[in-house]
């Protein structure tokens, strides 16, 4: 039985379940099975707008329909997470500290001192950031880049990424497996969490830009006062 036919058997859920990214993931998994779920998750790491909150429970649902086993779903999705993270780690390693600092110097409202603070924080908390970052939307992709820039030991990076990804993936794959044709419920609740994270990032970004503008104006006024 194909994933498409199984999901479409519930008219109320088919419209939600089989649109956009979900249909694309269905097509890949129907074509190559569990490795398709891994490929979709690898791409999700490289392109964060692709939501793992859709792909992972859908992989669990596919396993519940006998398209592949639950163990295969977990292994391949975790492998996809690790490969995607490894690619971004490589990008960060290629970028390096010098290139990164040269880019930052050209970005308005960002000071090298801010970069130094972030770097110091990552050196102190980097292992925890990589592990727990795998369970936070958006950050689970981006956290691999500073790990590469700082040349975190590769084996430790891969180990932490594997462990964090396995936990995150298991939650969603098992949810899709046991919810069956109602797998899209997971997407709805995960979407709320993702919106909270995005809102928090936007608020932090607005606060940062506002503080930088105020600091710039204070320095400008101070220089004007000294010159007068």
């Amino acid at each position: 039985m194909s994933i498409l036919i199984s999901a479409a058997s519930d008219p109320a859920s088919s419209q939600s379940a089989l649109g956009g990214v979900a249909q694309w993931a269905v097509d890949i998994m129907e074509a190559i099975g569990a490795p398709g779920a891994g490929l979709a998750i690898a791409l999700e790491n490289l392109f964060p707008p692709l939501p793992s909150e859709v792909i992972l429970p859908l992989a669990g649902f596919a396993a519940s329909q006998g398209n592949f086993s639950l163990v295969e779903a977990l292994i391949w999705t975790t492998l996809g997470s690790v490969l995607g993270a490894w690619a971004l780690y490589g990008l960060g390693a290629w970028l390096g500290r010098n290139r990164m600092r040269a880019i930052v110097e050209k970005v308005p409202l960002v000071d090298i001192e801010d970069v130094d603070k972030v770097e110091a924080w990552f050196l102190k908390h980097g292992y925890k950031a990589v592990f727990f970052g795998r369970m936070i939307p958006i950050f689970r992709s981006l956290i691999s880049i500073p790990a590469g820039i700082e040349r975190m030991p590769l084996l430790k990076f891969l180990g932490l990424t594997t462990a964090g990804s396995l936990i995150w993936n298991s939650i969603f794959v098992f949810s899709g497996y046991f919810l069956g044709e109602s797998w899209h419920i997971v997407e709805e609740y995960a979407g709320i969490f993702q919106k909270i994270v995005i809102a928090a990032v936007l608020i932090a970004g607005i606060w940062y830009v506002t503080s930088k503008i105020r600091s710039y104006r204070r320095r400008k006024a101070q220089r004007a006062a000294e010159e007068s």
Side-chain angles (χ1 to χ4, degrees), residues 43-55:
L43 293 174
E44 180 267 338
N45 275 263
L46 297 174
F47 306 100
L50 293 176
S52 66
E53 294 85 354
V54 172
I55 299 168

Side-chain angles (χ1 to χ4, degrees), residues 20-196:
V21 174
Q23 183 61 62
W24 169 77
V26 163
D27 293 341
I28 292 180
M29 283 185 267
E30 287 190 333
I32 57 178
L39 175 60
I41 290 299
L43 293 174
E44 180 267 338
N45 275 263
L46 297 174
F47 306 100
L50 293 176
S52 66
E53 294 85 354
V54 172
I55 299 168
L56 290 172
L58 187 54
F61 169 66
S64 74
Q65 299 298 302
N67 291 274
F68 41 79
S69 71
L70 184 60
V71 173
E72 286 179 302
L74 291 173
I75 290 175
W76 280 102
T77 55
T78 300
L79 179 61
S81 296
V82 174
L83 289 177
W86 192 5
L88 291 176
Y89 176 95
L91 174 62
W94 172 82
L95 181 63
R97 295 180 70 252
N98 292 335
R99 283 196 183 99
M100 184 267 294
R101 295 173 77 87
I103 292 172
V104 167
E105 288 179 346
K106 300 177 182 179
V107 177
L109 301 178
V110 179
D111 300 325
I112 290 297
E113 291 78 7
D114 297 325
V115 177
D116 292 336
K117 291 177 183 178
V118 172
E119 184 177 13
W121 181 90
F122 192 85
L123 290 173
K124 185 177 180 180
H125 303 287
Y127 293 155
K128 290 184 286 186
V130 169
F131 176 74
F132 290 107
R134 302 306 308 171
M135 306 174 210
I136 302 176
I138 301 174
F139 289 98
R140 63 173 165 267
S141 296
L142 300 180
I143 196 63
S144 301
I145 297 176
I149 291 175
E150 297 300 329
R151 295 299 179 98
M152 176 182 288
L154 183 57
L155 289 180
K156 289 185 178 180
F157 171 78
L158 293 177
L160 292 166
T161 298
T162 300
S165 297
L166 181 58
I167 293 173
W168 176 263
N169 293 358
S170 296
I171 292 172
F172 285 88
V173 170
F174 273 107
S175 297
Y177 184 86
F178 289 111
L179 284 171
E181 293 183 0
S182 299
W183 64 266
H184 56 280
I185 294 175
V186 183
E187 174 194 354
E188 295 172 5
Y189 284 99
I192 295 173
F193 177 48
Q194 185 173 18
K195 289 176 182 177
I196 292 173

